[in-house]
Amino acid sequence: MSKKLVLVLFVFTVYGVLAQELPPVVNYGPSQYSAGNQNWMIDQAENKNLYFANSTGLLEYNGEKWNLYPVPNNTIVRSLKVVGDRIYTGAYMEAGYWEKNEFGSLEYTSLVGKFNGAIGEGEQFWDIEFIDELVIFRSFGGVYFYNPQQDSITKMPNPLGKPVSGIFKVEKELYFQLVGEGLYVIRNGSPVEVIPYEKLGDTAIMHIYNEAGVLSFISGKTEFYKWQDQDLRKEVKPVNTQIGYPNILDAINLPSGDIVLGTVGNGVVKIDSKGNIVNAFNQQNILLNNTVLDLFMDKDQNLWAGLDYGISSIDLKSSFKSFQDNRGEIGSVYASYEEEGTLYLGTNQGLYVRNKGGNKFNLIEGTNGQVWFVDKVAGDILCGQDSGTFLINGDKATKICDRLGTWTVKEFNEDILIQGHYNGISFLRKNGNELEPLPMLEDFPHSSKFIEIDGEQNVWISNEHKGVYKMLLEEPFQKVTTIKNYKFPGESGITSSLFQFNDSLYYSSKEKIYQYSSTEDSFIEENSLNTLISDLNRVSGKMISEEDQSKLWGFAQEGIFSIQNSILSKDYSLEFVFIDQDFRNIAVGYENISNFGDEEYLLGIANGYLKFSDPGEIVLQASVNLDKIEVSALDSPANSIQLDEAGSFDFKNNNISFNYSAPVHDKYLDAKYSYRLIGLSPNWSSWSGSPEVNFKNLDFGNYTFEVKAKVGDTVTESVSYQFKIQRPYYFSIPAIIGYFIVFLLILYLIHLLNKRHHRKNLAENERALKMRNLEAEQEIIKLRNEKLEQDMANKNRELAVSTMSLIKKNEFLTSIKDELKKSESSSKVKSVINTIDKDISEEDNWKFFKKAFSNADKDFFKKIKAVHPELTSNDLKLCAYLRLNLSSKEIAPLLNISVKSVEIKRYRLRKKMDLDRETNLTEYILDL
């Protein structure tokens, strides 16, 4: 919310000042400063902070925020005085001083104990002054001198014992008045009578001043006196004839010789050195209250009024004068014209005039309704109104053209005027002293709000929806010879305008300005004006060129701006007049400004107008102050910190807020701020009106906060604050060393694990290699076994073949022997039989068989001998034949015995082996 409450313009007062153009006033109500209604005294510190003796305590204002400091006994603060870094205050039964602590807040020190019991019951301190290094407190009970060096208080002697009604500092002397007595001055520590009671009587003095070396004062009834040559002379001023003798509580002299009166019931009244009323500010026009308790002039020459209800600031030095239609009697101003002191205002309610020396605006009869235009054209004052065009003569209006709304009227040539209407254009022909209306231009039904005539008599018209038309007309100006329409794709024509500046034609939208190029016969975006305004936040495309095209005006959010040729270059220069759109508040696209000569301008606004002299470049002595710094942990209350030394905060307190201000008490100039936090970002923030900034969850490290202010075009020097966010314990140096050691241990552990893993891998690789070798060996063994088995199979086959051969041979021999036995029994036969028997039982056959059998089953004989060592060689032969799974019939020829004999041998062998009946002999031998 803006700190500016009310735009001070026009007042209707009870004493006849009906049409005042007042300087800017800002009102502050109790709801704004959050304190009591009454403000008894005002003063200012060196840093431009303002202090108010408020009914609920000491009130501080830094230009951005208000702070209230109640006195210990919570009573009304009646008086205050700023002396150096101290703010002295006086209240009910209480007096003391305030000083800023290291956190930027005020702390109170009571001086009651220094009075040594001199304070009477119910005593209140109404005045405080500072002179000769002494602070003077005044109550009705007496005058007290406080010596800050000695920290002691003494009471001024008062032999008469009368109440002290007031003290007054005049240059380097201190005056005081006693009730029922005269006026005194303190010299050499003692009171000296100046004006005796016999002369002064019961006149209550409210303000004393020197005028041309003569002691002068103003009474509580607005009576003006001079004390000269032991004579008291009363002067009747014009103000007394105008408003009578209202009660006053304070007055202040201005450097110009003017005087400002703070009245009871009539507000603030400014009079000149002769006593004429210059301005009157009261509850009927602008103030919140008509009772003024105190007046104070600050370091920037702003007048502050402490009221019975609220506070007001009046910028008496301002070049701005304003008129506000608080009662809605004239409405919003859309056009204005001044001639020889007579002012015409075209509003949404009609055309109003204030004659030279007049004190109010009057509606010109017949002009009721919306007025769009009033100006002098070709020697006549013309008014463009909702119902047509009027000729103005003094306070009379004559309708000369009955058309559907007249936007504007311009001179086409020395005999013809051109008019722009809601539904086209028409012309006025000069006929002696009269203006004759001509018919509407045919075939052109478009609204013609802006019209320009170039050097070739081409008519240029802009329309919000159609763009720009260029027309060449033929007399009698009812038909168009040629016409061309220039479009602006992508541009909104709403609030657009058409104007000439420096002999060039321009079309302006809200975003851009286009210049007409005759060589290209088009409007081009590349031009100096468009470049100059590209960064401005314009509120509309309305641009107004002064009649001589020496200056061009435009309208932005934060103010109005003018463009003119630079003095030292071919470029344009741009100057701002800072009047925020919130103050102007006129409908966008209908902004208006008029030049009344001598660099004086009138700006139409929503409920009146603003008059100003071209301020040129404004240079302000502004500075920015750091008011408060607070730090906090997450979701914890904030703590104020010292402003005068660098801070070092625990890592948990990493949320920090800064409050700053630039005490500039100007109605139209608000301070804007830019900041940066070096350590977080080197870049400055964009300008903002917020007087505070918060940083949250800052990392540990070193930071420097910087902030600067901009007031108008003036940028202040930056102020800075350095601080450090400490490392958290887990990022402290010992912790980092510990982390490093742990890191090394982890590396070592990783090394060990890697080494172990390497050994494990190596062992696994070795095992794998061994397994592969073993598998290879096993494969070799398998192959060998397979070969052995193959060899064994071969040998078994050989054994089987040889065995069968023996069997066959023996069977054959046996058969031969049997045949021989049947034949003759000769010696030869017997010899053959013996030979056959010998061959059948030949030991060589057995050896051959045994060798073959051992190759096939080499461990058999060892195994069976190990189990049955009692077996004979014949038993072993039988076992070998049984091992070959031969039947008894097959064994018999091999042993050259009968089958029966083989069975007997088998039987005997079973007995030797001690086999039971169920055990098969052959299977037993095979299983060995």
Side-chain angles (χ1 to χ4, degrees), residues 513-737:
I513 294 178
Y514 298 85
Q515 182 180 18
Y516 176 71
S517 170
S518 57
T519 57
E520 299 182 19
D521 191 25
S522 64
F523 285 86
I524 59 174
E525 183 179 333
E526 294 75 18
N527 62 84
S528 299
L529 287 183
N530 189 48
T531 302
L532 189 63
I533 60 93
S534 59
D535 293 332
L536 299 182
N537 183 18
R538 293 198 295 160
V539 295
S540 78
K542 183 74 175 286
M543 300 291 290
I544 299 174
S545 179
E546 294 189 13
E547 186 175 357
D548 60 1
Q549 299 186 22
S550 63
K551 188 174 290 188
L552 180 67
W553 290 92
F555 304 89
Q557 181 64 43
E558 59 183 357
I560 64 175
F561 59 91
S562 63
I563 299 173
Q564 56 189 333
N565 291 321
S566 297
I567 297 176
L568 301 178
S569 69
K570 295 181 180 180
D571 296 329
Y572 294 116
S573 62
L574 185 146
E575 292 182 354
F576 248 92
V577 180
F578 291 92
I579 311 169
D580 195 272
Q581 171 68 5
D582 292 338
F583 290 113
R584 308 192 308 266
N585 201 30
I586 194 74
V588 292
Y590 296 94
E591 298 87 355
N592 59 96
I593 186 170
S594 301
N595 183 359
F596 292 163
D598 297 328
E599 294 295 312
E600 185 178 44
Y601 295 89
L602 186 147
L603 177 69
I605 61 176
N607 55 351
Y609 64 81
L610 183 66
K611 238 181 185 180
F612 64 93
S613 298
D614 189 354
E617 184 177 356
I618 299 176
V619 179
L620 297 172
Q621 299 298 321
S623 61
V624 63
N625 304 315
L626 267 179
D627 300 318
K628 182 186 287 187
I629 304 175
E630 293 181 328
V631 298
S632 65
L634 186 64
D635 298 327
S636 298
N639 298 313
S640 297
I641 61 173
Q642 297 184 15
L643 303 175
D644 54 356
E645 62 182 43
S648 180
F649 313 122
D650 185 78
F651 75 95
K652 293 182 180 178
N653 293 322
N654 62 347
N655 301 308
I656 184 165
S657 65
F658 297 89
N659 288 264
Y660 36 80
S661 62
V664 176
H665 309 291
D666 189 292
K667 183 178 184 66
Y668 302 116
L669 290 176
D670 282 323
K672 296 187 181 298
Y673 305 94
S674 179
Y675 60 85
R676 64 178 178 178
L677 186 61
I678 300 175
L680 181 65
S681 172
N683 301 321
W684 288 93
S685 70
S686 57
W687 293 105
S688 167
S690 175
E692 61 182 331
V693 64
N694 298 287
F695 299 97
K696 295 185 177 181
N697 297 321
L698 291 176
D699 290 332
F700 66 86
N702 296 311
Y703 296 91
T704 300
F705 175 76
E706 294 181 342
V707 62
K708 57 186 177 182
K710 182 174 74 169
V711 183
D713 292 325
T714 302
V715 178
T716 69
E717 294 290 333
S718 64
V719 296
S720 63
Y721 176 79
Q722 295 181 344
F723 65 96
K724 177 182 181 181
I725 303 293
Q726 298 173 1
R727 293 172 176 267
Y729 65 89
Y730 47 81
F731 279 147
S732 63
I733 300 301
I736 292 176
I737 294 174

Side-chain angles (χ1 to χ4, degrees), residues 371-421:
V371 173
W372 301 113
F373 173 85
V374 59
D375 202 354
K376 177 172 277 190
V377 183
D380 293 314
I381 300 176
L382 299 178
C383 170
Q385 196 251 13
D386 186 59
S387 64
T389 308
F390 291 81
L391 175 65
I392 308 301
N393 187 4
D395 58 358
K396 305 295 181 182
T398 303
K399 180 176 279 191
I400 59 175
C401 183
D402 193 357
R403 296 280 190 267
L404 183 60
T406 300
W407 290 114
T408 185
V409 182
K410 287 204 169 187
E411 188 173 5
F412 182 73
N413 58 40
E414 59 183 13
D415 297 320
I416 300 296
L417 306 183
I418 186 171
Q419 303 179 103
H421 303 292

Side-chain angles (χ1 to χ4, degrees), residues 168-237:
F168 312 93
K169 181 181 177 182
V170 183
E171 296 177 353
K172 294 184 179 181
E173 292 188 307
L174 185 69
Y175 293 81
F176 66 92
Q177 184 182 16
L178 297 178
V179 176
E181 294 294 333
L183 178 69
Y184 296 82
V185 66
I186 299 175
R187 293 195 176 116
N188 298 321
S190 300
V192 176
E193 187 178 65
V194 178
I195 304 177
Y197 179 74
E198 292 77 13
K199 297 283 188 178
L200 187 59
D202 292 327
T203 300
I205 298 174
M206 290 296 152
H207 178 63
I208 300 178
Y209 59 99
N210 273 323
E211 184 176 14
V214 177
L215 185 66
S216 305
F217 66 86
I218 305 173
S219 75
K221 294 184 178 180
T222 320
E223 299 167 314
F224 296 83
Y225 291 90
K226 290 186 182 299
W227 174 254
Q228 189 175 23
D229 299 329
Q230 301 300 307
D231 181 51
L232 185 63
R233 185 175 74 257
K234 180 179 179 180
E235 296 180 335
V236 177
K237 301 284 188 178

Side-chain angles (χ1 to χ4, degrees), residues 446-465:
H446 307 298
S447 175
S448 304
K449 188 183 293 186
F450 298 96
I451 300 176
E452 295 294 336
I453 312 299
D454 66 18
E456 299 177 355
Q457 293 293 291
N458 291 307
V459 178
W460 296 82
I461 296 174
S462 70
N463 180 276
E464 291 183 338
H465 305 288

